[in-house]
Amino acid sequence: MAGRSLGKALATVSLSVALASVTVRSSGGRSIPVSRNSFSSCGSHLNGDNMSGCNGAKDNSHNKARTSPYPGSKVERSQVPNEKVGWVVEWQDYNPVEYTAVSVLAGPRWADPQISESNFSPKFNEKDGHVERKSQNGLYEIENGRPRNPAGRTGLVGRGLLGRWGPNHAADPIITRWKRDSSGNKITHPVSGKCILQFVAIKRKDCGEWAIPGIYKGYVDDPRNTDNAWMETEAVNYHDETGEIMDNINLEAGDDAGKVKWVDISDQLKLYASHSQFIRLVAEKRDAHWSEDSEADCHGL
């Protein structure tokens, strides 16, 4: 019964983020297919909590979206100083580099055509057929037929590695469990006294940073962003409170992921894009250890 429930629970849980993918195997060695950007009710042991109430993106400083070289290329962005990131600041000499990856220009099903193509008339700021072009952060402006990144200038125009003009939506779960000793008891941090939470992390091959499948709703400060295309995410935290489900699975990285494993959550993690900011929200929601500065006790033991 438990095995059937596990298979059903994991059949639609995605453990992929951007360029990374994961295969989940049950303790019996059987591969369980996972579907990217899919969610389902995961049974009594897993609680899905929508984290969409958070607005952390407004607090990020739009740094990774201005880094060079652009991921997967040798393209250098035009430099954008902090004081000129915002579009409200007039900058007549702004001269961003144009770049869209060959893999996007090849016209895969997940990518839009070029704006210049006569048969392409996207409906920005609304649902455009099967494509969601509305932003989680509200209306965005259109300039010369191209959507404009609501977070500001990035030093690069075009789409880079992103398929859609405007918002590119991601929806992936963050899978968590409590760290336990060999007897099954929750392990507390020696300084904060709070229980240590673990999450499934993927090590990206492109930059070597650990990544999570998001926990946030809205704009993401992502190194793939451009002036005309940007990442947004909406995610759900699936938490295994008892450890009865997640302890029975093995995680294997897909061909385009470096490694995948359970990682302890703390403020010492170096995570991809804005993920460290996002994962802190989960730690706080679960009243788990985050920083050695915390003096709160662990609850629910």
Side-chain angles (χ1 to χ4, degrees):
M1 181 66 179
R4 289 196 299 270
S5 297
L6 173 63
K8 182 178 180 181
L10 294 176
T12 56
V13 173
S14 166
L15 294 179
S16 63
V17 57
L19 302 180
S21 61
V22 178
T23 298
V24 180
R25 292 185 182 273
S26 66
S27 55
R30 180 174 62 88
S31 295
I32 300 174
V34 295
S35 170
R36 193 175 194 275
N37 297 340
S38 298
F39 296 101
S40 71
S41 173
C42 291
S44 59
H45 296 297
L46 289 177
N47 299 316
D49 294 304
N50 196 315
M51 307 297 292
S52 61
C54 307
N55 60 356
K58 294 181 180 179
D59 297 327
N60 76 48
S61 50
H62 196 58
N63 287 324
K64 296 201 173 185
R66 291 181 285 156
T67 56
S68 290
Y70 186 86
S73 76
K74 297 181 180 179
V75 176
E76 296 285 327
R77 299 176 187 264
S78 298
Q79 293 187 357
V80 180
N82 291 338
E83 64 273 14
K84 292 186 177 180
V85 168
W87 297 110
V88 294
V89 179
E90 186 175 351
W91 189 8
Q92 294 183 352
D93 295 331
Y94 179 51
N95 186 29
V97 175
E98 175 93 30
Y99 174 68
T100 299
V102 174
S103 59
V104 176
L105 293 175
R109 293 182 61 184
W110 48 266
D112 290 333
Q114 286 289 77
I115 289 288
S116 58
E117 293 190 18
S118 58
N119 61 345
F120 180 54
S121 301
K123 299 177 181 178
F124 293 120
N125 285 304
E126 61 181 280
K127 186 70 176 289
D128 184 11
H130 70 283
V131 179
E132 180 58 81
R133 300 193 189 277
K134 290 188 293 185
S135 169
Q136 304 281 11
N137 295 86
L139 296 178
Y140 50 88
E141 296 186 8
I142 310 300
E143 186 175 77
N144 298 323
R146 295 184 174 191
R148 197 164 71 172
N149 190 323
R153 300 179 175 96
T154 67
L156 190 145
V157 295
R159 284 175 288 162
L161 287 168
L162 301 179
R164 303 295 182 192
W165 293 98
N168 287 254
H169 296 285
D172 296 284
I174 173 170
I175 312 298
T176 57
R177 70 180 184 185
W178 295 112
K179 187 174 185 178
R180 299 176 185 271
D181 60 23
S182 58
S183 300
N185 299 313
K186 294 179 184 178
I187 297 176
T188 59
H189 190 274
V191 177
S192 70
K194 288 192 171 186
C195 296
I196 298 176
L197 197 64
Q198 295 182 314
F199 73 104
V200 174
I202 300 166
K203 193 167 188 179
R204 296 173 61 99
K205 283 186 175 179
D206 55 354
C207 62
E209 291 185 316
W210 289 99
I212 63 172
I215 16 169
Y216 166 78
K217 181 177 181 180
Y219 178 87
V220 179
D221 183 19
D222 190 289
R224 294 167 295 173
N225 292 351
T226 75
D227 285 8
N228 310 122
W230 59 91
M231 287 300 303
E232 296 188 7
T233 188
E234 179 177 6
V236 175
N237 173 214
Y238 285 91
H239 177 64
D240 181 8
E241 179 63 31
T242 66
E244 294 178 9
I245 293 181
M246 294 303 171
D247 286 350
N248 295 322
I249 65 172
N250 296 318
L251 303 173
E252 296 181 3
D255 294 338
D256 49 5
K259 299 178 181 179
V260 58
K261 68 177 184 179
W262 289 100
V263 174
D264 293 354
I265 290 177
S266 79
D267 62 352
Q268 300 302 308
L269 289 172
K270 181 182 179 183
L271 296 177
Y272 181 76
S274 302
H275 292 172
S276 60
Q277 166 192 353
F278 302 157
I279 201 168
R280 179 175 183 174
L281 300 174
V282 166
E284 292 176 348
K285 185 174 183 66
R286 300 293 173 191
D287 195 26
H289 169 71
W290 172 253
S291 171
E292 292 190 2
D293 293 334
S294 174
E295 297 179 357
D297 292 332
C298 179
H299 303 292
L301 288 176

